[in-house]
Amino acid sequence: STTTTTTTTEPTLPSDAVSLLSFKSNADLNNKLLYFLNEPYDYCTWQGVKCSQNNVIHFILQNLFLNGTFSPNSLTRLTHLRVLSLRNNSLFGPIPDLSSLYKLRILLLDHNHFSGSIPVQLNLLNRVVSIRLDFNSLNGSVPVINVPGLKIFNVSENRLTGPVPFTPTLSRFDATSFSGNPGLCGEIVHKACDSRSGFFNGDGDSSNGDGSGSGSSSSAAPLESQQSQGIVVVNSAPAKKKRGAKTNGLVLGCSVVIAILVASVVVAVVLVNKKKRSFLRKEEREKAIVEEEAVSETVNGNGNDVVEVEAVTKMRSGRLVFCCGEVQEYTLEQLMRASAEVLGRGSVGTTYKAVVESKLIMTVKRFDGGKTAATSGEDFEKQMEIVGMLRHPNLVPVRAYFQAKGERLVIFDYQPNGSLFNLVHGSRSARAKPLHWTSCLKIAEDVAHGLAYIHQASSLIHGNLKSSNVLLGVDFEACITDYGLSLFADSSLTEEDPNSTAYKAPETRKSSGRASAKSDVYSFGVLLLELLTGKHPSKHPFLMPADLQDWVRAMRDDDGSEDNWLEMLTEVASICSATSPEQRPAMWQVLKMIQGIKESVAMEDDTENRLS
Ligand SMILES: Nc1ncnc2c1ncn2[C@@H]1O[C@H](COP(=O)(O)OP(=O)(O)OP(=O)(O)O)[C@@H](O)[C@H]1O
């Protein structure tokens, strides 16, 4: 056979093939890459390789456990290379000088074991838009990098030390690009390089009077960039030369004014950022965008190979799936760029109010990868398909979902009037009366309706019914959210909040206990008591039915006028929260009971009206 895995460099071989084989011989010690040289030399079909006119333009080998080194004189000879990604492997040793790759736009070497220093020649890659070197073991200092088009730069989680050069390029990135390197200092990472002065400690350094800002003495960056780019910098380094010369009253006065202005701008920037932050951290948002760029690179390099582009998009960026045949109103990229505000952090992730393209408002639940890792991608998709099909006036609809490696998002409608939790406990003082009985009845009916629908329309259960998962719609109708998502939570990893635990049926509190339709009924009973009494479930006493009636009446300060309906609703709550699941009614029966109470109240009103 002519098939060979030889790594010898025969002069007749195409030089790109030689470079690839040379890379493989050092980087792939476990021989995972099946690179065989057959005539005609077909290296453009090798794993991870994409060519344009027989020149390698993309080399993408991700998540392959490649275990070896990145030798100089291997890929560095691929002078047409535009995308180089070796992320998420086990490559070790130094990163070679890549300056010969002058066409390189995307360099992703993150999540490996690279050591040694960051090659200073990165600064010569003047077409590069993305450099990711995070999660390696790189040491030494951050080199001066001034590449105007650089959009993504991340060297976090390494062992870098010393001042971060304050160049016009690097100053565009925030501390997250450098985090996880305790030895780094300077303005960008908000850490003084001189141990004598604090960064934001107001010790007077900010008013040292010389107006210079760089704590990174090694930086060759022009200082005017700090002002011209509108970056407010509080100096961390003590003024050495000019301090003595500028101590007159006028300068001190100016310094105070400047300090006040600086503080106001910092506060304003912090406030704006708080409101406008994307639900993805900057680096993650940019990662998604870069991956899209990599995809568009694929298009450029390969004409109109749409099918392949779709496959790449699915694989790398994940897929935004719109449920129930919804119209696709926005793209993944638009979603990733949405401005977002944290609504709260729950047991399995964080929930955001996101605004896409300044007009579409939605709620995005972003799962914490670690806490839902036990659910496979396939199971997630299956469950989301069922959940996404449900439509009912008392359910917050799931519009879309997304998953990619380590990232899961579920997109709901945004409910403008907050949650039942806020309505019951929110701004009301501790001594405020519980909700009016008509509201209690209406909310109880809405929630029972939604829950009965979930149980009947599908094989789903809610699994996490509680007042923060009941939201109020535009007409203050109660809508259940987060149904069917509890399945993804790994209970051994989620912290138990006493308020949440109190909703859980006794049979589900054991580690082997599984949620069921009957455990949802129990949660509904607890929620009903919360509604009636205004008390957090963790404060509900365990009482026999007769005593429960007395307690509810006492909590409502009832003078007897609410007697009838209150007694009936408390009765419903009591049977729903029976200790034994068999004794609890089904949800449709609970709904019927509540509707019965409503009708009897209406009849009573009617009779009273006629008599009066
Ligand atoms: N669609 C929505 N519209 C408006 N607010 C929402 C929406 N979904 C959730 N919220 C609010 O966002 C906050 C956080 O919700 P999240 O579901 O993350 O946590 P939780 O409900 O407290 O706990 P869990 O994760 O156990 O459900 C809650 O106050 C919730 O009421």
Side-chain angles (χ1 to χ4, degrees), residues 441-463:
L441 199 52
K442 166 80 168 66
I443 292 168
E445 187 191 9
D446 284 353
V447 177
H449 230 141
L451 203 51
Y453 170 79
I454 294 174
H455 291 174
Q456 288 198 303
S458 63
S459 54
L460 279 187
I461 50 155
H462 190 293

Side-chain angles (χ1 to χ4, degrees), residues 302-442:
N302 206 25
N304 51 11
D305 198 348
V306 177
V307 177
E308 182 178 351
V309 172
E310 273 177 3
V312 176
T313 310
K314 254 191 206 176
M315 186 179 71
R316 288 210 216 106
S317 305
R319 200 161 53 105
L320 183 62
V321 181
F322 285 81
C323 304
C324 225
E326 298 275 341
V327 182
Q328 185 162 346
E329 284 186 286
Y330 47 90
T331 63
L332 176 62
E333 192 190 340
Q334 287 170 326
L335 179 68
M336 296 297 175
R337 288 187 198 278
S339 65
E341 195 182 316
V342 174
L343 289 171
R345 289 178 217 287
S347 45
V348 287
T350 306
T351 302
Y352 302 82
K353 174 184 176 184
V355 183
V356 172
E357 297 287 289
S358 313
K359 53 180 192 286
L360 293 170
I361 303 177
M362 59 195 70
T363 297
V364 179
K365 188 164 188 126
R366 183 181 184 205
F367 289 88
D368 179 333
K371 287 180 182 162
T372 62
T375 306
S376 70
E378 208 179 308
D379 287 348
F380 178 80
E381 196 148 333
K382 265 196 218 149
Q383 180 77 350
M384 288 317 302
E385 245 152 56
I386 304 171
V387 169
M389 291 296 286
L390 298 185
R391 291 290 181 268
H392 186 274
N394 298 114
L395 297 189
V396 181
V398 170
R399 300 291 181 193
Y401 64 89
F402 167 84
Q403 77 168 327
K405 196 167 174 291
E407 192 65 73
R408 282 172 176 160
L409 307 173
V410 178
I411 294 117
F412 295 92
D413 277 2
Y414 175 70
Q415 301 301 118
N417 290 316
S419 68
L420 182 60
F421 179 92
N422 288 339
L423 185 72
V424 175
H425 311 288
S427 54
R428 302 159 63 84
S429 79
R431 278 178 296 129
K433 278 192 122 196
L435 297 181
H436 188 267
W437 69 268
T438 46
S439 306
C440 290
L441 199 52
K442 166 80 168 66

Side-chain angles (χ1 to χ4, degrees), residues 94-116:
I95 297 172
D97 171 6
L98 301 170
S99 55
S100 53
L101 304 178
Y102 69 100
K103 289 190 175 174
L104 200 66
R105 300 195 66 224
I106 294 168
L107 174 65
L108 309 175
L109 301 180
D110 52 290
H111 295 84
N112 276 289
H113 308 302
F114 286 119
S115 55

Side-chain angles (χ1 to χ4, degrees), residues 70 90 254 346 426 529 571 607:
F70 183 171
S90 300
C254 287
L529 283 178
E571 180 77 33
T607 318

Side-chain angles (χ1 to χ4, degrees), residues 117-352:
S117 54
I118 299 177
V120 287
Q121 302 88 345
L122 283 187
N123 197 34
L124 300 174
L125 299 174
N126 55 19
R127 295 194 195 175
V128 78
V129 294
S130 169
I131 298 177
R132 294 268 317 255
L133 304 175
D134 44 308
F135 289 91
N136 277 295
S137 301
L138 297 165
N139 52 34
S141 57
V142 176
V144 172
I145 292 186
N146 246 333
V147 182
L150 193 65
K151 289 189 197 150
I152 293 158
F153 182 75
N154 194 334
V155 292
S156 62
E157 306 298 334
N158 277 289
R159 295 175 194 159
L160 301 165
T161 51
V164 177
F166 197 90
T167 68
T169 296
L170 291 183
S171 63
R172 290 203 303 265
F173 301 100
D174 63 24
T176 54
S177 290
F178 303 90
S179 61
N181 292 288
L184 286 179
C185 62
E187 278 86 346
I188 298 173
V189 293
H190 310 294
K191 191 172 163 195
C193 292
D194 186 318
S195 58
R196 280 184 299 147
S197 58
F199 194 61
F200 283 125
N201 62 3
D203 63 358
D205 264 357
S206 60
S207 56
N208 63 16
D210 66 4
S212 69
S214 179
S216 47
S217 52
S218 67
S219 169
L223 290 173
E224 75 271 304
S225 66
Q226 295 165 19
Q227 268 123 33
S228 66
Q229 294 177 35
I231 297 165
V232 177
V233 176
V234 181
N235 190 18
S236 58
K240 287 181 184 136
K241 286 187 198 157
K242 301 181 185 172
R243 178 164 289 190
K246 293 187 177 179
T247 49
N248 61 48
L250 181 65
V251 171
L252 271 179
C254 287
S255 302
V256 169
V257 172
I258 289 167
I260 291 169
L261 282 174
V262 164
S264 331
V265 174
V266 168
V267 168
V269 166
V270 166
L271 286 178
V272 167
N273 281 345
K274 200 176 171 207
K275 272 217 147 314
K276 286 275 168 71
R277 253 191 13 214
S278 162
F279 59 86
L280 291 182
R281 287 205 318 272
K282 193 174 164 213
E283 73 194 62
E284 291 158 337
R285 187 173 71 240
E286 287 170 343
K287 176 179 140 201
I289 294 162
V290 159
E291 284 172 346
E292 292 221 338
E293 274 182 28
V295 171
S296 67
E297 283 273 350
T298 312
V299 187
N300 296 337
N302 206 25
N304 51 11
D305 198 348
V306 177
V307 177
E308 182 178 351
V309 172
E310 273 177 3
V312 176
T313 310
K314 254 191 206 176
M315 186 179 71
R316 288 210 216 106
S317 305
R319 200 161 53 105
L320 183 62
V321 181
F322 285 81
C323 304
C324 225
E326 298 275 341
V327 182
Q328 185 162 346
E329 284 186 286
Y330 47 90
T331 63
L332 176 62
E333 192 190 340
Q334 287 170 326
L335 179 68
M336 296 297 175
R337 288 187 198 278
S339 65
E341 195 182 316
V342 174
L343 289 171
R345 289 178 217 287
S347 45
V348 287
T350 306
T351 302
Y352 302 82

